[in-house]
Amino acid sequence: MLQVSQAFLRHGYGKLTMVELAKECGFTRRALYYYFNSKEEAYRATVRHGNAQGIQLGFEAGERIRRDGGSAVEIISEIMNIRYGTTRRIVQSSPHTVELNAVAFMTSRDIMIEFAISFQDDLERLIISLAEDGLLRLTGALSPKQIAQALADGARGVNQALPPPPLADLSERYRLMCQTILFGSATAPGRDTRSKA
């Protein structure tokens, strides 16, 4: 999968043929067709693999931070940094970034939705677990499911920010987003109940 991904990053989607993809992977064309029936199928496989790996590695990194005594913000922001940031850093390094993003949404939206739902479910369970362990105190204003949705939406927003944040700033942007969603940055003004006399 790494070789297939690298081929798309080097050549883009439109110009890469199955013959070139086979060469990039060190396969004969026939051997490549054993795994993939088309270029689209190969690309969809890279999207599926990247999402699965990003989620797994993200939660593993979060668990290490948790074992080392990290805060909820540190745990969740590192999960986001691995889950979303790693892919962003890899794709940004390609001269075909815009094309590959567009192709992902055109060919693999169903895969991205499937993994978004799965990730948010995992994130909801993590939030509940962090609250049970005293690393978060939930106010009840939002359910763990709503918090997980806001965090995942926020991370995707960081990735799609315009102008794009420098890659070196992604980690801090995820941390700031997580801190803001978890703990807020403002309160609603109270009504002035003083007499106007």
Side-chain angles (χ1 to χ4, degrees):
M1 289 311 305
L2 181 60
Q3 291 171 315
V4 174
S5 296
Q6 288 299 319
F8 283 114
L9 291 168
R10 277 194 292 273
H11 301 284
Y13 184 86
K15 293 184 179 178
L16 186 66
T17 66
M18 287 293 277
V19 171
E20 291 166 330
L21 183 57
K23 284 181 192 172
E24 289 279 329
C25 295
F27 290 154
T28 64
R29 197 172 106 189
R30 183 178 176 153
L32 183 65
Y33 274 103
Y34 175 79
Y35 294 102
F36 308 112
N37 292 321
S38 66
K39 179 171 67 171
E40 181 177 324
E41 189 177 309
Y43 192 75
R44 283 173 56 83
T46 67
V47 172
R48 180 170 291 286
H49 180 263
N51 274 275
Q53 187 175 48
I55 291 171
Q56 177 186 340
L57 295 176
F59 277 102
E60 287 173 359
E63 186 54 38
R64 283 192 297 275
I65 290 171
R66 188 176 186 170
R67 281 195 311 265
D68 291 343
S71 70
V73 169
E74 291 168 330
I75 294 164
I76 296 171
S77 61
E78 185 60 12
I79 291 169
M80 298 302 184
N81 187 41
I82 303 293
R83 160 61 172 128
Y84 293 107
T86 299
T87 300
R88 179 58 41 211
R89 289 180 193 92
I90 291 169
V91 174
Q92 277 308 111
S93 69
S94 170
H96 307 285
T97 301
V98 174
E99 178 195 20
L100 294 174
N101 273 337
V103 171
F105 280 96
M106 288 186 322
T107 66
S108 308
R109 194 165 189 270
D110 60 320
I111 295 170
M112 295 188 307
I113 290 170
E114 172 191 335
F115 279 98
I117 292 167
S118 169
F119 176 67
Q120 288 163 204
D121 289 345
D122 292 342
L123 201 53
E124 178 185 2
R125 285 188 287 276
L126 174 66
I127 289 163
I128 292 166
S129 174
L130 292 172
E132 289 171 349
D133 288 353
L135 292 171
L136 279 177
R137 188 172 61 238
L138 302 180
T139 65
L142 296 174
S143 70
K145 184 178 192 72
Q146 290 170 315
I147 296 168
Q149 178 74 62
L151 287 165
D153 288 350
R156 287 188 293 267
V158 168
N159 278 7
Q160 299 302 320
L162 294 175
L167 296 179
D169 294 351
L170 277 178
S171 180
E172 177 59 20
R173 293 282 289 266
Y174 294 123
R175 189 199 63 72
L176 180 62
M177 178 275 302
C178 290
Q179 181 176 332
T180 302
I181 288 172
L182 290 174
F183 304 120
S185 60
T187 59
R191 283 215 296 218
D192 187 355
T193 56
R194 291 176 290 169
S195 168
K196 302 254 183 203

